[in-house]
Amino acid sequence: MTYPIRPIGEAEWAKAAAVLEEAFGWRPAPPQQERFRAETEFDRTLAAFDGDAIAGITAVFSLAMTVPGGRQLPVAGVTAVSVLPSHRRRGILSSLMRRQLADVRERGESVAALYASEAAIYGRYGYGRAASELRFRIRTHDTAFVPGAPYDPSLRMRVVTPEARRADFERVFATVVTRRPGLYARRKQTWDNVLADTDADQRGSGPLRAIVAEDDGGVRGYALFRLKPSWDEDGVPDGELLLRELFAADPAAYALLWRGVLDRDLVTRVETEGRPVDDPIVALLANARQLRARWSDELWVRVVEVDKALSARSYAAPVDLVVEVEDEVCPWNARRWRLTADPAGAECKPVEEEPDVSLPVAALGSAYLGDGLLMAQLDAGLLKERTPGAVRELATAMSWSPRPWAGLTF
């Protein structure tokens, strides 16, 4: 059977949402449904049809994402990938993903990125794991900072109402978004989701709360969190603080906000949502063993057009190599490319020379934001090194600090 694919119209949104609900096994509350609808780019939401019914969908958010060097690159934020359980193993997902990548290329986006609901799926379409995150569980009783932790006497911490200080949060985020690869500019609908506080958003964890670090010049950082008060059987406080996000424009504001989180009365533990693997809190805590961390993959990246993508980012070291890319899904990438880069810029162009390295496009995607495991993949036999030392040279050049992290699922 064939399943025609086309973008959906606004009148078809409910049918597409029903596929999502069935595939992921959840039913969002009406306010969440409406926010999701408001974010939907209908011309970028593809559906596979079985007659009048929708059997599978995939969508894109048009993002401006930071890449190594601080440039914000147009990136296709892939989301809502789902197929009805009744239509699995019929080639629908493959058809949707291939059509989507062709559309992304037509729009001039050289990179696509996604959060994977199942990590085993997307490698077959050329995506590589490009960023990781840590979720911290912190016991607050022994969380002193190291000597010399930053302190600014002009800073004040304030308890604020989140929605009332939205403009301040937006200004702070705008100052930090270009500092870390993977962070992306937030639109109005994105902030609507971040600050949403209905019963469905609270999920029994109480209202959204906020603190800011400010001086006479304005807000320099903020933290968003929820509180779950509790007492043990002896009446001793045993509350939990659920940290949603924390951003600051400078180290002193960052340190003050963490003190506000860790020193909260009646709280004995802090649980964070995903944080960067190189989050400065790891360096600030004198007893880093208090950070109980759970690792997870975060962003997955797909290089859609090799030459444009590799020329758009900066590199940590000079490089001059011929890279042979294997790509069955996007055949326009499957050739040899000479990558040359130095502090003045980068260039990637097709050549007919013998390659120094041969690799699948997913390996290139995994390294794109600066956190690839190219040497590990070489040792695992997944890459072919034609010139001794070439993979190390490429891995060094593509590495970046700080490490990539998007910070907010799309």
Side-chain angles (χ1 to χ4, degrees), residues 105 172 252 264 274 289 302 310 375 395:
R105 185 191 186 204
V172 169
R264 184 84 183 201
R289 293 178 183 178
R302 212 298 177 186
L310 294 188
M375 288 301 297

Side-chain angles (χ1 to χ4, degrees), residues 46-392:
L46 297 173
F49 285 83
D50 184 357
D52 293 333
I54 295 179
I57 62 169
T58 185
V60 166
F61 293 139
S62 303
L63 303 180
M65 182 174 286
T66 302
V67 298
R71 178 181 176 184
Q72 287 203 292
L73 190 70
V75 167
V78 176
T79 188
V81 181
S82 51
V83 175
L84 284 176
S86 56
H87 287 68
R88 295 176 66 240
R89 305 193 188 284
R90 301 188 190 184
I92 293 175
L93 179 61
S94 292
S95 297
L96 284 167
M97 297 300 285
R98 289 172 182 270
R99 164 68 184 273
Q100 184 181 66
L101 287 169
D103 287 359
V104 168
R105 185 191 186 204
E106 278 189 27
R107 286 182 177 253
E109 295 160 331
S110 59
V111 174
L114 58 78
Y115 280 82
S117 56
E118 293 183 79
I121 293 177
Y122 294 97
R124 74 184 84 158
Y125 305 113
Y127 286 84
R129 181 181 61 77
S132 302
E133 67 178 12
L134 298 176
R135 292 176 181 264
F136 295 126
R137 183 181 180 87
I138 309 170
R139 288 287 179 180
T140 61
H141 72 278
D142 184 16
T143 56
F145 284 169
V146 296
Y151 171 72
D152 183 345
S154 70
L155 272 173
R156 305 176 296 270
M157 185 170 64
R158 292 283 185 264
V159 176
V160 299
T161 302
E163 189 56 49
R165 303 300 288 269
R166 173 171 173 157
D168 291 320
F169 302 161
E170 292 182 9
R171 281 192 289 269
V172 169
F173 188 81
T175 68
V176 303
V177 66
T178 58
R179 298 181 187 178
R180 184 180 291 275
L183 289 176
Y184 57 93
R186 294 180 176 181
R187 301 173 291 184
K188 174 186 179 299
Q189 296 93 334
T190 313
W191 281 105
D192 289 345
N193 280 328
V194 169
L195 299 177
D197 204 27
T198 66
D199 289 344
D201 298 301
Q202 294 177 13
R203 292 182 291 181
S205 298
L208 188 67
R209 302 174 187 272
I211 53 175
V212 298
E214 63 181 8
D215 59 16
D216 291 343
V219 174
R220 287 162 49 182
Y222 70 91
L224 297 172
F225 56 91
R226 301 184 189 277
L227 291 174
K228 293 178 68 175
S230 181
W231 283 259
D232 67 17
E233 60 186 9
D234 298 316
V236 177
D238 189 30
E240 183 174 64
L241 186 148
L242 306 172
L243 180 64
R244 173 149 177 111
E245 64 178 37
L246 187 156
F247 287 105
D250 59 87
Y254 175 89
L256 181 62
L257 289 167
W258 266 107
R259 285 269 51 101
V261 167
L262 296 170
D263 295 345
R264 184 84 183 201
D265 287 341
L266 309 181
V267 168
T268 61
R269 61 194 175 279
V270 171
E271 292 269 1
T272 75
E273 295 197 2
R275 302 292 301 172
V277 295
D278 58 352
D279 194 313
I281 192 61
V282 177
L284 274 178
L285 283 185
N287 183 3
R289 293 178 183 178
Q290 291 292 64
L291 290 170
R292 296 291 187 266
R294 301 183 303 280
W295 175 93
S296 178
D297 58 283
E298 205 219 16
L299 275 185
W300 290 65
V301 163
R302 212 298 177 186
V303 175
V304 180
E305 289 203 84
V306 168
D307 52 344
K308 293 180 180 179
L310 294 188
S311 300
R313 53 154 291 175
S314 298
Y315 292 82
V319 62
D320 185 359
L321 293 171
V322 175
V323 180
E324 183 176 47
V325 177
E326 303 159 5
D327 193 343
E328 295 182 357
V329 177
C330 298
W332 54 85
N333 287 329
R335 59 169 307 155
R336 297 169 183 176
W337 305 89
R338 177 173 286 280
L339 173 63
T340 56
D342 57 34
E347 181 182 54
C348 183
K349 59 184 180 181
V351 295
E352 299 298 331
E353 303 168 41
E354 289 299 309
D356 298 298
V357 180
S358 296
L359 47 70
V361 72
L364 207 56
S366 74
Y368 186 73
L369 293 179
D371 195 27
L373 302 174
L374 293 180
M375 288 301 297
Q377 293 177 62
L378 175 65
D379 292 342
L382 303 177
L383 315 181
K384 296 177 182 177
E385 185 175 68
R386 315 286 187 175
T387 302
V391 172
R392 186 180 300 278

Side-chain angles (χ1 to χ4, degrees), residues 15-28 54-55 82-87:
K15 290 198 293 186
V19 175
L20 267 177
E21 293 175 14
E22 188 66 35
F24 286 97
W26 54 268
R27 180 177 294 275
I54 295 179
S82 51
V83 175
L84 284 176
S86 56
H87 287 68

